[in-house]
Amino acid sequence: MHYRVDICIGGDNDSRRICKSYLKKVRDWANVTFPDGYTLVKVEGCYRGISEDSILLYAFLSHDMALRDQLERLKRELKQEAILLVKSSVDLDVI
């Protein structure tokens, strides 16, 4: 069984933007959490009716991974009210 993890992170609460230092914090966290790789996409999101720069990070894992504590730390570091986590079991083939 393989898993797909989708993590949605909003932009800086003051500017609603993703600056280099903010993105570096997310990348540093992801490099440690998903050492086998991940995909990071900068997108536009909407939270409580307000448009903002956002990050969609997704990774494919060979096992179910507990992420709550790591995401709580990232949420505090980024000063976010919420980070969205979606886990799905998937059929995965690497071609």
Side-chain angles (χ1 to χ4, degrees), residues 2-17:
H2 288 89
Y3 295 88
R4 176 178 168 160
V5 174
D6 296 358
I7 300 170
C8 301
I9 305 167
D12 176 78
N13 288 334
D14 293 328
S15 68
R16 303 278 182 221
R17 300 277 181 225

Side-chain angles (χ1 to χ4, degrees), residues 18-77:
I18 305 285
C19 66
K20 287 181 183 180
S21 63
Y22 191 90
L23 184 58
K24 182 181 180 334
K25 290 177 186 177
V26 174
R27 282 189 176 142
D28 289 348
W29 176 87
N31 287 335
V32 170
T33 306
F34 306 112
D36 290 336
Y38 60 90
T39 299
L40 187 145
V41 182
K42 291 171 51 177
V43 297
E44 181 178 334
C46 187
Y47 184 67
R48 296 191 173 167
I50 299 172
S51 180
E52 63 182 347
D53 289 350
S54 298
I55 296 169
L56 174 59
L57 187 150
Y58 59 94
F60 294 96
L61 309 171
S62 59
H63 61 284
D64 191 7
M65 182 178 183
L67 291 168
R68 188 172 209 42
D69 290 343
Q70 293 99 321
L71 283 170
E72 285 289 345
R73 283 192 296 277
L74 180 64
K75 185 174 98 169
R76 282 191 302 274
E77 184 174 355

